[in-house]
Amino acid sequence: MPYAPFEVDDGSGKIVGFDIDFMDWMAKDLGVTTKISVQQFVAIKSGTATKTKKCDISAAAMTITAERMASITFSNPYYDASQALMVLSSSSAKSLADLKGKKLGAQTGTTGLAYAQKYAEQYGYTVLEYAQISDEEVALQASKIDAAIHDQPALNEYSKQQAGKVKIVDNFNTGEEYGFGVALGNTALATVANYVIAKSKADGTYLASYKKWIGGTPPTK
């Protein structure tokens, strides 16, 4: 937190966003109330947050990976993601290839970090890790890094808020899919998540939420 447009404080202390819509739909289906527990992403993606019952389900714009599946039971995918490259508006960089000798920021434990590290030697840049996306964004504006890599929707949202200061210059189609995570083996709760995802797509609520938080319409597979 914050990670707009997936989960963010609306200014009144209420957490809202694309992910939270799904959690509210699940809560309604189960006859319970959504309660948000803010956890570090490292604890979420490792499965520690659900294993230690800090939360029942993780809704954190989390990419499904084979490594994470060893510690987490995932729902079906609910969002197709990609990575984006953001620089200051004054920068001439347009791709990773333009970052030779420069610094690229990424968030610890994310697929964006893995992607940045994969091409660091090839393009000759240094990767700096940050605990939260907000730290990464602040570092860019303070010129402590020359570029930032992260999930496209999150950086798109930030670039809108900081229009004229930062810009998105490249997008990387990594074939990522987001899923909701539950404690390993908790197939009952994962089944509820799958039901809600399917139901929302069938009754139009998914599309309405997508338009509200992401913008446009989901890509056709």
Side-chain angles (χ1 to χ4, degrees):
M1 286 284 299
Y3 199 76
F6 294 93
E7 41 268 335
V8 65
D9 191 319
D10 69 355
S12 69
K14 182 181 179 181
I15 308 304
V16 296
F18 189 60
D19 282 354
I20 307 306
D21 280 356
F22 286 94
M23 297 301 100
D24 288 342
W25 297 334
M26 285 185 65
K28 182 178 180 180
D29 185 74
L30 292 168
V32 297
T33 302
T34 304
K35 181 179 180 181
I36 306 298
S37 174
V38 180
Q39 303 291 321
Q40 289 291 329
F41 187 68
V42 172
I44 292 173
K45 63 109 176 180
S46 67
T48 301
T50 46
K51 182 179 181 180
T52 59
K53 301 185 184 301
K54 297 291 185 182
C55 59
D56 298 295
I57 186 167
S58 296
M62 179 166 53
T63 301
I64 301 170
T65 68
E67 180 182 6
R68 293 171 183 174
M69 287 175 68
S71 304
I72 298 170
T73 291
F74 277 98
S75 70
N76 292 336
Y78 69 94
Y79 180 79
D80 295 321
S82 60
Q83 297 294 314
L85 186 69
M86 183 171 71
V87 299
L88 293 175
S89 293
S90 58
S91 175
S92 61
K94 295 182 179 180
S95 67
L96 293 178
D98 297 325
L99 298 179
K100 184 176 181 179
K102 298 185 182 298
K103 298 175 182 177
L104 174 61
Q107 185 182 2
T108 299
T110 62
T111 48
L113 173 63
Y115 193 86
Q117 292 173 331
K118 180 179 179 180
Y119 295 100
E121 184 176 352
Q122 179 179 342
Y123 293 122
Y125 56 75
T126 301
V127 179
L128 298 185
E129 293 186 37
Y130 293 91
Q132 299 180 4
I133 185 174
S134 54
D135 298 332
E136 193 180 340
E137 292 162 343
V138 169
L140 177 63
Q141 294 244 33
S143 297
K144 292 182 179 179
I145 54 176
D146 300 285
I149 188 171
H150 221 291
D151 292 1
Q152 185 181 21
L155 292 190
N156 279 349
E157 186 75 14
Y158 184 75
S159 65
K160 292 177 186 176
Q161 297 170 359
Q162 301 293 318
K165 297 180 180 180
V166 298
K167 59 185 178 181
I168 306 296
V169 294
D170 204 358
N171 176 260
F172 315 108
N173 185 4
T174 53
E176 297 174 55
E177 295 178 314
Y178 291 170
F180 300 118
V182 299
L184 193 64
N186 188 357
T187 54
L189 191 55
T191 298
V192 176
N194 292 340
Y195 168 76
V196 165
I197 292 169
K199 182 174 182 293
S200 69
K201 289 183 176 181
D203 65 17
T205 49
Y206 180 97
L207 181 58
S209 180
Y210 192 99
K211 287 181 176 179
K212 177 181 179 180
W213 297 110
I214 309 299
T217 57
T220 301
K221 289 188 175 181

